[in-house]
Amino acid sequence: EHRGVRPGFRCIRHMSFPVEATLAASATAALLGVLSAPLISSPICAALVFGWIACIGVALTLAAPPVEPPPSEAEYEAHGLGPLPGGAPPAQLYLDLMKRIVLNLCYHEQSHQVVLSRSPDEGRPAPELARTFSLRARVMGEDVSLNTLSMVGLRRLDSLQACISALVAEGIEGDLLEAGCAKGGACIFMRAALRAHGDTKRRVYCCDAFAAPPPPPSPLRVALVRPWYVALGAVAYRLPLSSQRWLYGKLMPHQTAFPSNVGHASDDTVRSFMFYLTHGHHLRPPGLGACAGGTLPHVRSNFARLGLLDEQVVFLPGFFSETLPTAPFATLALLRLDGDLYPSTRDALTHCYPRLAVGGFCIVDDYYAFEECRRAVDDYRSEHGITDELVRIDRLSVLWRRCQ
């Protein structure tokens, strides 16, 4: 079995919420029983301990991981992942393989896919847990996996490649920048595209908070605190939206990945936040996490493992409002916005769009994913008289080309 872990214990990662809650509650009860053994009769303490062991046994017996068939050749071809035509140039073959690596299509069997992102078009106004791999969701950039380098999907990478090819072919001067690079997957592909075109002058700017996750808690803290955390998440997810918004305003300032201006928070942002609060225990198996690998050393390592970390890659760690006003680029040819929220999207536009060259591309990753992102873009375009046509890339993203 993968990494030497027994199949029975791997299936804990696939348990449903009630089973995990039962295990956490029974573990706490057993611990309290052991600690209070001098104060209560021994049979009660023994019953608690054996009850806990019985719960684990039942869970390991019943919670088998789902068996999923591999995608067929026809599915790959239907999603644009079939073989390239004979005689394709080496640069095209290189970028095709790079897309599959960035999206972890090569080893998706080892992928721990935990979230199927929101898709209002499919009747999913809030994120949902995903138990099996979906090739369609991966291609459309509508899933979250713990070990992909990017969540943007194949359609957005295809569009990104087309934009860079147009910039090089037409001689549009300027660097490439992504505001909100997470693990760096889209920036890695930008650098790979420049290499494929033999472009040695442009730089790729990777902007993000690169916030480090909190250190893992001790086993004792997990046993004592996790039941309360699970209970808080279960209750919060069922509260009225007004109460969820109040809780969002109280908790958001305690994170370090996004600016904590909650005044512009849209309803879909609040619902997504509550989803991650409720299901956070699914997103952090031991040593992993949905955002694991988002620190600056991790992102630099992601570039290095693909041979793409060189002087043409520049990192700007910190909030956009702090780093972008003094960023060392003069002109941008491509601006990619993936800040999700209103303040981060607006900050990136304010400080970067004036330096976008005429003929350059502005790509908005979350335009149809979060209402407040869409509102930030629409407000900026309206205030500055930008009328360039918005072109839809997929169900979540858009771009426009600066023509004025």
Side-chain angles (χ1 to χ4, degrees):
E1 193 61 25
H2 178 54
R3 291 187 293 187
V5 182
R6 291 175 56 192
F9 288 92
R10 287 187 69 205
C11 73
I12 293 178
R13 296 165 62 173
H14 300 274
M15 291 178 186
S16 62
F17 169 80
V19 175
E20 287 197 336
T22 301
L23 282 177
S26 58
T28 304
L31 178 63
L32 294 176
V34 172
L35 295 177
S36 59
L39 304 178
I40 61 176
S41 60
S42 180
I44 296 178
C45 180
L48 289 172
V49 173
F50 285 115
W52 177 47
I53 295 174
C55 286
I56 292 181
V58 170
L60 295 180
T61 301
L62 299 180
V67 178
E68 50 184 296
S72 65
E73 302 93 320
E75 289 182 80
Y76 282 108
E77 292 187 7
H79 291 296
L81 290 164
L84 292 178
Q92 186 177 355
L93 295 171
Y94 169 66
L95 292 179
D96 178 74
L97 181 58
M98 188 61 66
K99 294 174 191 175
R100 298 170 192 257
I101 293 172
V102 166
L103 301 178
N104 194 27
L105 290 169
C106 302
Y107 300 104
H108 69 78
E109 293 87 353
Q110 300 174 14
S111 176
H112 181 41
Q113 185 179 5
V114 292
V115 178
L116 191 65
S117 300
R118 298 184 310 105
S119 180
D121 294 341
E122 293 187 347
R124 288 188 281 110
E128 297 178 358
L129 290 178
R131 300 299 183 179
T132 59
F133 174 75
S134 167
L135 182 61
R136 188 208 61 78
R138 184 65 55 89
V139 166
M140 298 299 292
E142 295 180 3
D143 74 338
V144 176
S145 173
L146 297 187
N147 59 350
T148 56
L149 294 179
S150 178
M151 298 181 290
V152 302
L154 182 64
R155 297 288 174 264
R156 275 166 259 174
L157 290 181
D158 287 342
S159 173
L160 187 57
Q161 179 181 350
C163 290
I164 295 174
S165 296
L167 294 172
V168 174
E170 298 173 21
I172 305 297
E173 298 293 331
D175 297 317
L176 317 179
L177 181 146
E178 182 175 36
C181 70
K183 297 180 184 179
C187 288
I188 288 172
F189 185 76
M190 291 181 194
R191 180 64 190 93
L194 293 180
R195 174 168 292 180
H197 285 286
D199 191 318
T200 59
K201 296 181 179 180
R202 301 179 198 265
R203 290 187 172 187
V204 176
Y205 286 86
C206 311
C207 309
D208 205 287
F210 298 113
S218 65
L220 179 61
R221 183 179 178 184
V222 171
L224 293 176
V225 175
R226 184 163 177 175
W228 298 102
Y229 171 82
V230 172
L232 172 63
V235 172
Y237 204 51
R238 292 163 176 80
L239 290 174
L241 186 59
S242 58
S243 300
Q244 291 182 346
R245 182 175 290 276
W246 176 87
L247 187 60
Y248 174 85
K250 294 296 182 181
L251 296 179
M252 192 65 176
H254 296 285
Q255 54 79 44
T256 57
F258 293 91
S260 58
N261 183 349
V262 299
H264 293 284
S266 55
D267 292 347
D268 50 7
T269 303
V270 174
R271 283 193 291 264
S272 295
F273 181 87
M274 290 302 146
F275 170 84
Y276 285 102
L277 176 65
T278 302
H279 300 287
H281 52 291
H282 288 279
L283 308 183
R284 291 196 174 276
L288 296 175
C291 295
T295 66
L296 185 54
H298 279 103
V299 177
R300 291 180 61 88
S301 176
N302 293 339
F303 274 87
R305 72 181 65 182
L306 295 173
L308 294 171
L309 184 63
D310 58 16
E311 67 281 355
Q312 286 183 250
V313 180
V314 181
F315 298 95
L316 299 178
F319 288 156
F320 304 153
S321 60
E322 302 166 351
T323 60
L324 293 179
T326 57
F329 55 84
T331 306
L332 292 176
L334 187 145
L335 170 61
R336 190 173 192 281
L337 306 175
D338 197 359
D340 300 355
L341 308 184
Y342 187 101
S344 49
T345 302
R346 187 61 188 258
D347 288 340
L349 282 168
T350 299
H351 300 298
C352 294
Y353 193 80
R355 290 186 269 181
L356 182 67
V358 174
F361 293 92
C362 183
I363 304 170
V364 187
D365 189 84
D366 299 302
Y367 187 80
Y368 287 109
F370 292 103
E371 179 188 339
E372 61 181 290
C373 173
R374 183 165 65 254
R375 191 166 65 244
V377 173
D378 292 346
D379 287 351
Y380 185 86
R381 283 170 57 93
S382 175
E383 292 170 12
H384 292 81
I386 300 172
T387 58
D388 301 326
E389 180 187 4
L390 284 175
V391 179
R392 194 158 187 168
I393 301 172
D394 55 21
R395 296 196 296 195
L396 302 179
S397 304
V398 300
L399 65 79
W400 75 88
R401 193 167 194 181
R402 186 169 188 177
C403 299
Q404 52 182 322

